[in-house]
Amino acid sequence: MYTSQPPTSSIRRSPAISATRESTVNIPGKNRVWVHGFRSNLRSQTRRVRGSTIRAVVSKEESKSSTVTVEDTTAIDGVGGMMDLKATITIKKQMKEKVIEKIEDQWESFVIGIGRGVLIQLISEKIDPVTKSGKYAESSPRGWLPSASSHPHVLEFTSNIAVPANFGRPGAVLVTNLLRREFYLVDIVIHGVNQDPVIFPAKTWIHSQQSNPDSRIIFKNQAYLPSQTPPGLKDLRREDLRSIRGNGKGERKPHDRIYDYATYNDLGRPDKSPDLARPVLGVPETPYPRRCRTGRPPTKSDPNSESRIEKPHPVYVPRDETFEEIKQNTFSAGKLKALLHNLLPSIAAKLSDTDISFECFSEIDKLYNDGVFLKEAEHNQFLVNFTNQVMNVGKRFLKYDTPAIMRRDRFAWLRDDEFARQTLAGVNPVNIELLKEFPILSKLDASTYGPVESALAKEVIAEELHGMSVEEAIREKRLFIIDYHDMLLPFIEKMNELPGRKAYASRTILFYNRANVLRPIAIELSLPPTPSSSSSSNKRVFRPGHDATAHWLWNLAKAHVCSNDAGIHQLVNHWLRTHACMEPYIIATHRQLSSMHPVFKLLHPHMRYTLEINALARQSLINGGGIIEACFSPGKFAMELSSAAYKSSWRFDLEALPADLIRRGMAVEDPTTPHGVKLVIEDYPYASDGLLIWSAIKELVESIVYHYYPGSDSITSDVELQTWWSEIINMGHHDKRNESWWPKLDTKESLIGVLTTIIWIASGQHAAINFGQYPFGGYVPNRPTLMRKLIPEEGPEYDHFLMNPQFTFLSSLPTQLQATKVMAVQDTLSTHSPDEEYLGQVHHLSNHWLHDGEVWGFFERFGAKMEEIEGIINSRNKDVRLKNRNGAGIPPYELLLPTSGPGVTGRGVPNSVSI
């Protein structure tokens, strides 16, 4: 910050412009203004232009003015009068400020007011015939005094600026922050150009010049394809993208706005312990999508691994990707809740020197009904005092909300029909597939993993089909499978060597009977073969119980399937397919598409917060020793499993909802429907509601694409677009760059398909598999995230099971500590922030599209479509014929209802992967 002298460092005056000679300072009386000499770095020679005067008027009420004379320079064609423009700059303040920050904020407002805080430069769409760059007018006027705003945390500064009448329409603003602190720029509005205001939407942090001397480039709210860019803005468009890409070197600083790629090489901590070393993901052996580069130095133990940043220090993401304050407060509250749910039970577990199991189901119920009580025993009296003093809740603490799955029927989780219903309407409804042929065969190497044929023989299945043959059931599309055998079996031996972990590779067969009810009819649980095992002894088959023993064994088998399902859901369908795979799309969009590009503007709302939440996940959830490893079956092999799934099954072209349903046999092509498919099971809530949202997204994307691209040649000739798609393939998904299934971006239809898929993944797909985590997983027996025991066979353990099957069941589930950790995390991840932006809420997009009324109409129709879809879903939830979303004790399917309030609601489709 400065008080009397202008800054001596170079201030950018136009794209890549810096000072080439001493700055000249003209101080007419009290009005101190300054102008630097300038040279374009985009060209080799210096261009000198004619002199002119640019006038900045303090206010309409004041008579004084400050004038800036640029000797022998001008950006004006010919001569003419002056034009008064009114500039309004909107800055958002921090919601919570310490006393010292309030003082500094008041001082900086004063500095801005006397013309020493912010420098803005207007860039015209017209080109200067001499410099071959856009005409520009710069000003650092006095009198930028804050005016009243309807929002308590927003400041608006206004000033009049006089420019030559033939300046042309402003197309960009360069903003230089001369203060010591960054500030959040909401927008800049220029009035007085013809009749309509020119809006420059920013919603960006403007770094201090002390951190980086470069000015920020803000374009007006009009979309241009690269070939349509006004001549005066072409250099700026290229320069802005260059600054965002960086040079791929050095460690990123918090104020940086640089997007680049790196492998997942920061998950382990080999310097702390060899047991915390983790393989790099994103190499041929363990392929993976790329993450945002941070550039931290390598670890001492492994030069291929990047050193980590641990809490409370933040992991770098580009500055504008960080949580806004209200989101940060919500997430911090969630972390505090997780702390209270985890820290105190951890201390209690240490004091008791054991991590105990639930001894009866009523102990689980108490988590919701009563909370957790600490006894008055001497060894934990300090904990009671702590909670009394700090939490002011007496002896009761850590009370959890009752999950939706048991709110209406606390015993629903025990029923087979509920187990099956959740494969269609639960938190992981994307793994059920149509069983197309018998016998069921593995694709794994038989020499390593045993015979390829499943133990689920035809006669076993036929006994559960109520007189229907297996061939008939397959022909009528009534047999379905959830097959985790090949994905898990290569990891089972390593997983079962971990302390407190026992798992199988599972296959589950489900039958859709003539009453249109889906039920599980057989489960196969497999272990890797051993030298002493026979070809079949490592495979066990379970069927629904017809006596007490079989009933309990069946429930244990279902629990193991649910544990597998929870791990695949979290590591593959949730983390990999939405979070990790979205990150390269976001990086490439910023690096290759100008903020003026219509595709950037379309995708921008669907990128919000994703890089930040992913960075936090690398720091605390998916890292070595993190919560996922501690609480899910794969343990330290969790991310290797995720990488194996990416290698074997991830394909961009099958991430589109209709394509995924067809691949799994859950739908067939039907060109007569709006979405082009017909469901095999009509009462499939995830698919039927998802297709409504998919179709609406596609309709919006079609409107945008046809509006901006008159023909296929305009797509192939769009340099930014083609480079964007090439970078997603070759850099973002480098390990899969040579796959033949990548769509070619050469027609309107291919572009529509790519954009619809990306938006669907960020919105509907993520919502469907994220916000049900606590409603379905908050009750541990319904979705245990790990199992600690294999199902007993003959011997003493089996005899104990016969004597007390409930004990065997509960002691196989996660411990109380593991369960409460998972519940706290699932509760946080299922929470909507108060500032969530939901699909179809078009007012959040107004600043981006306001200039184009036709495009604004597309979004209004999209918003109306979302309201219509919400009504359709609500009607479906009341339809008694739809048994998977209506019935005694059945919760309605609301995960794809577009809107929601804040908190854990089990509904709402945000625009982006924001949690």
Side-chain angles (χ1 to χ4, degrees):
M1 186 182 300
Y2 59 89
T3 55
S4 59
Q5 295 296 324
T8 58
S9 60
S10 170
I11 303 175
R12 291 168 57 136
R13 297 293 183 252
S14 63
I17 288 175
S18 58
T20 59
R21 62 176 184 265
E22 292 290 332
S23 302
T24 60
V25 183
N26 178 20
I27 307 179
K30 296 182 180 180
N31 294 327
R32 297 185 179 91
V33 291
W34 59 92
V35 176
H36 291 257
F38 60 94
R39 171 180 63 85
S40 173
N41 290 335
L42 299 176
R43 297 166 184 85
S44 58
Q45 70 268 36
T46 302
R47 290 182 168 85
R48 299 181 62 82
V49 289
R50 298 180 298 276
S52 71
T53 299
I54 300 172
R55 185 173 174 224
V57 181
V58 175
S59 70
K60 291 182 178 180
E61 290 75 26
E62 298 182 53
S63 58
K64 294 181 179 180
S65 65
S66 55
T67 60
V68 181
T69 301
V70 185
E71 296 179 345
D72 299 325
T73 67
T74 186
I76 309 297
D77 295 331
V79 294
M82 301 300 291
M83 177 171 59
D84 283 338
L85 304 180
K86 179 182 177 182
T88 302
I89 180 170
T90 304
I91 296 174
K92 186 163 66 175
K93 300 188 300 179
Q94 295 291 312
M95 295 169 59
K96 294 182 179 179
E97 297 175 341
K98 299 175 184 177
V99 173
I100 190 169
E101 290 174 336
K102 286 185 177 180
I103 294 174
E104 188 165 354
D105 186 67
Q106 293 171 358
W107 171 248
E108 291 186 349
S109 294
F110 168 75
V111 171
I112 293 175
I114 63 172
R116 294 295 187 269
V118 179
L119 174 67
I120 67 168
Q121 300 166 268
L122 295 184
I123 310 296
S124 172
E125 292 181 346
K126 289 184 177 182
I127 196 166
D128 186 294
V130 178
T131 66
K132 306 302 181 184
S133 296
K135 299 178 181 180
Y136 77 95
E138 68 180 41
S139 175
S140 181
R142 296 178 60 212
W144 284 56
L145 302 177
S147 58
S149 170
S150 58
H151 194 287
H153 303 292
V154 169
L155 289 177
E156 293 181 353
F157 297 86
T158 61
S159 179
N160 287 0
I161 303 175
V163 299
N166 62 349
F167 177 75
R169 192 169 181 84
V173 176
L174 271 64
V175 182
T176 305
N177 176 6
L178 306 176
L179 306 171
R180 289 190 300 203
R181 292 192 304 173
E182 64 180 3
F183 61 82
Y184 188 83
L185 178 63
V186 178
D187 59 32
I188 296 174
V189 181
I190 305 296
H191 302 270
V193 182
N194 297 328
Q195 295 180 346
D196 299 327
V198 183
I199 300 174
F200 298 86
K203 294 184 178 179
T204 184
W205 289 97
I206 305 297
H207 57 261
S208 168
Q209 188 190 34
Q210 296 180 10
S211 299
N212 184 344
D214 291 350
S215 301
R216 281 294 307 280
I217 304 169
I218 309 296
F219 295 106
K220 74 174 186 177
N221 65 332
Q222 183 165 347
Y224 296 106
L225 296 178
S227 61
Q228 301 167 339
T229 309
L233 305 181
K234 287 183 177 180
D235 287 347
L236 283 177
R237 183 168 185 150
R238 289 190 294 267
E239 171 70 9
D240 192 41
L241 286 174
R242 274 197 292 267
S243 68
I244 289 172
R245 293 177 197 137
N247 59 10
K249 299 178 181 179
E251 183 174 355
R252 299 274 62 86
K253 305 302 181 185
H255 65 267
D256 282 343
R257 183 173 155 261
I258 295 176
Y259 297 75
D260 204 354
Y261 301 95
T263 59
Y264 278 74
N265 62 349
D266 64 342
L267 300 180
R269 290 187 290 174
D271 289 347
K272 183 174 183 179
S273 167
D275 192 54
L276 289 175
R278 295 294 180 267
V280 174
L281 304 186
V283 296
E285 299 79 20
T286 49
Y288 219 60
R290 296 304 189 260
R291 65 169 175 91
C292 187
R293 180 183 178 276
T294 55
R296 297 188 298 269
T299 61
K300 297 177 182 178
S301 306
D302 179 8
N304 295 319
S305 293
E306 188 174 87
S307 57
R308 287 177 51 79
I309 296 292
E310 304 295 348
K311 290 180 179 179
H313 305 291
V315 178
Y316 168 80
V317 294
R319 184 63 182 96
D320 289 340
E321 303 296 330
T322 57
F323 290 163
E324 293 182 28
E325 194 171 8
I326 188 169
K327 173 72 171 183
Q328 184 63 54
N329 293 341
T330 301
F331 193 79
S332 297
K335 287 194 292 185
L336 175 61
K337 190 173 184 180
L339 172 70
L340 297 176
H341 283 249
N342 295 330
L343 176 62
L344 298 181
S346 298
I347 296 173
K350 271 192 175 180
L351 290 173
S352 63
D353 199 32
T354 182
D355 187 7
I356 60 176
S357 305
F358 292 105
E359 294 184 358
C360 59
F361 288 100
S362 61
E363 286 189 347
I364 302 175
D365 295 341
K366 284 181 179 179
L367 295 173
Y368 321 108
N369 299 330
D370 303 323
V372 179
F373 285 85
L374 284 177
K375 298 179 181 179
E376 298 285 351
E378 179 180 353
H379 71 275
N380 62 6
Q381 182 62 46
F382 84 96
L383 287 178
V384 177
N385 294 337
F386 174 81
T387 54
N388 285 340
Q389 295 171 13
V390 178
M391 302 180 66
N392 195 28
V393 293
K395 300 176 185 177
R396 189 179 72 183
F397 68 108
L398 305 185
K399 183 177 178 181
Y400 287 83
D401 296 329
T402 303
I405 189 58
M406 63 175 298
R407 194 177 301 145
R408 298 187 179 204
D409 182 356
R410 59 180 299 200
F411 300 110
W413 67 277
L414 276 170
R415 299 198 316 268
D416 287 353
D417 61 300
E418 177 60 24
F419 174 92
R421 190 189 74 85
Q422 291 184 31
T423 68
L424 301 172
V427 69
N428 189 39
V430 296
N431 280 111
I432 185 171
E433 300 183 23
L434 181 71
L435 184 61
K436 299 177 182 178
E437 57 185 18
F438 243 82
I440 302 168
L441 302 177
S442 170
K443 296 179 181 178
L444 298 176
D445 183 1
S447 63
T448 302
Y449 299 105
V452 298
E453 190 164 324
S454 168
L456 293 166
K458 186 179 295 185
E459 55 271 17
V460 173
I461 304 300
E463 290 183 16
E464 302 293 335
L465 300 184
H466 307 294
M468 185 181 293
S469 69
V470 172
E471 291 80 7
E472 185 180 5
I474 290 177
R475 187 168 57 252
E476 293 187 15
K477 295 183 171 60
R478 293 191 175 275
L479 284 179
F480 299 84
I481 186 171
I482 300 174
D483 193 347
Y484 296 138
H485 179 276
D486 286 8
M487 190 179 296
L488 289 175
L489 193 61
F491 292 90
I492 292 296
E493 184 176 0
K494 295 187 293 185
M495 288 164 54
N496 286 346
E497 290 175 352
L498 298 172
R501 308 291 168 95
K502 296 298 176 184
Y504 300 93
S506 63
R507 290 187 177 105
T508 306
I509 304 296
L510 303 102
F511 176 53
Y512 190 57
N513 62 28
R514 297 194 188 279
N516 295 333
V517 175
L518 188 68
R519 295 178 67 87
I521 60 173
I523 292 173
E524 178 191 58
L525 300 179
S526 300
L527 295 172
T530 63
S532 60
S533 66
S534 64
S535 61
S536 60
S537 62
N538 61 315
K539 299 179 180 180
R540 300 181 65 186
V541 173
F542 301 86
R543 290 186 290 175
H546 300 291
D547 58 66
T549 301
H551 174 77
W552 275 105
L553 290 173
W554 175 246
N555 284 332
L556 282 167
K558 288 195 299 181
H560 274 279
V561 172
C562 288
S563 176
N564 286 349
D565 192 73
I568 298 300
H569 161 262
Q570 196 68 260
L571 294 166
V572 179
N573 299 328
H574 181 210
W575 169 256
L576 170 65
R577 293 177 61 186
T578 61
H579 285 261
C581 286
M582 273 300 301
E583 190 148 346
Y585 311 149
I586 295 169
I587 297 170
T589 299
H590 283 281
R591 284 169 54 88
Q592 300 300 340
L593 297 181
S594 166
S595 59
M596 288 193 287
H597 199 290
V599 171
F600 180 94
K601 292 181 178 293
L602 175 64
L603 292 180
H604 186 263
H606 306 289
M607 303 186 292
R608 185 175 186 239
Y609 292 156
T610 304
L611 295 191
E612 172 82 341
I613 197 66
N614 286 4
L616 290 169
R618 298 201 315 274
Q619 190 175 44
S620 302
L621 291 178
I622 63 172
N623 58 301
I627 292 174
I628 297 299
E629 290 191 359
C631 300
F632 285 77
S633 287
K636 65 186 293 184
F637 308 105
M639 291 304 290
E640 289 182 61
L641 173 62
S642 186
S643 169
Y646 177 71
K647 181 178 183 178
S648 65
S649 61
W650 185 86
R651 293 176 48 158
F652 179 87
D653 61 326
L654 297 182
E655 292 301 289
L657 178 58
D660 174 61
L661 293 171
I662 292 171
R663 176 188 65 83
R664 292 190 283 120
M666 300 304 294
V668 295
E669 292 188 40
D670 184 354
T672 65
T673 64
H675 32 69
V677 298
K678 177 179 174 59
L679 295 177
V680 170
I681 297 178
E682 181 184 355
D683 188 11
Y684 186 0
Y686 157 76
S688 57
D689 293 358
L691 286 170
L692 292 176
I693 292 178
W694 169 273
S695 298
I697 294 172
K698 185 178 180 182
E699 182 180 331
L700 171 65
V701 172
E702 284 177 341
S703 299
I704 298 293
V705 169
Y706 276 87
H707 180 78
Y708 284 101
Y709 292 95
S712 295
D713 57 337
S714 60
I715 293 174
T716 56
S717 63
D718 185 337
V719 177
E720 286 184 7
L721 186 71
Q722 294 299 322
T723 307
W724 167 77
W725 185 236
S726 175
E727 184 166 294
I728 286 174
I729 297 171
N730 293 295
M731 296 180 68
H733 288 272
H734 179 78
D735 303 316
K736 294 222 168 194
R737 64 193 183 281
N738 295 321
E739 299 289 352
S740 60
W741 40 254
W742 285 103
K744 297 185 184 302
L745 216 57
D746 54 2
T747 64
K748 294 182 191 178
E749 289 69 27
S750 62
L751 178 57
I752 290 166
V754 165
L755 296 177
T756 304
T757 299
I758 291 175
I759 295 173
W760 160 253
I761 292 168
S763 56
Q765 182 66 40
H766 178 257
I769 59 179
N770 180 73
F771 294 104
Q773 289 192 76
Y774 187 80
F776 286 97
Y779 186 63
V780 180
N782 186 62
R783 284 182 67 78
T785 55
L786 60 82
M787 296 293 283
R788 295 187 294 135
K789 294 181 179 181
L790 298 177
I791 298 177
E793 299 186 60
E794 298 298 329
E797 194 173 348
Y798 185 78
D799 294 338
H800 194 272
F801 157 70
L802 294 177
M803 294 293 295
N804 192 344
Q806 177 178 285
F807 174 83
T808 299
F809 185 88
L810 289 172
S811 62
S812 299
L813 299 180
T815 65
Q816 292 191 29
L817 176 59
Q818 289 169 332
T820 53
K821 276 186 177 181
V822 170
M823 290 165 67
V825 172
Q826 289 176 333
D827 183 83
T828 301
L829 297 182
S830 302
T831 299
H832 288 294
S833 172
D835 72 335
E836 199 80 271
E837 295 181 359
Y838 295 97
L839 201 62
Q841 293 183 335
V842 294
H843 61 276
H844 293 297
L845 305 167
S846 60
N847 277 350
H848 288 285
W849 294 99
L850 190 63
H851 185 77
D852 193 321
E854 187 174 356
V855 173
W856 179 239
F858 299 156
F859 282 97
E860 286 185 320
R861 288 198 295 273
F862 181 63
K865 190 68 175 180
M866 287 298 109
E867 293 180 7
E868 179 186 340
I869 289 173
E870 188 148 325
I872 293 172
I873 294 174
N874 285 327
S875 298
R876 288 174 173 175
N877 285 331
K878 297 175 183 178
D879 190 337
V880 296
R881 297 170 300 173
L882 302 177
K883 297 179 177 63
N884 289 323
R885 61 204 310 161
N886 186 287
I890 301 296
Y893 186 76
E894 298 181 328
L895 289 172
L896 287 171
L897 277 172
T899 61
S900 173
V904 180
T905 64
R907 58 174 289 170
V909 181
N911 280 320
S912 61
V913 180
S914 59
I915 187 65

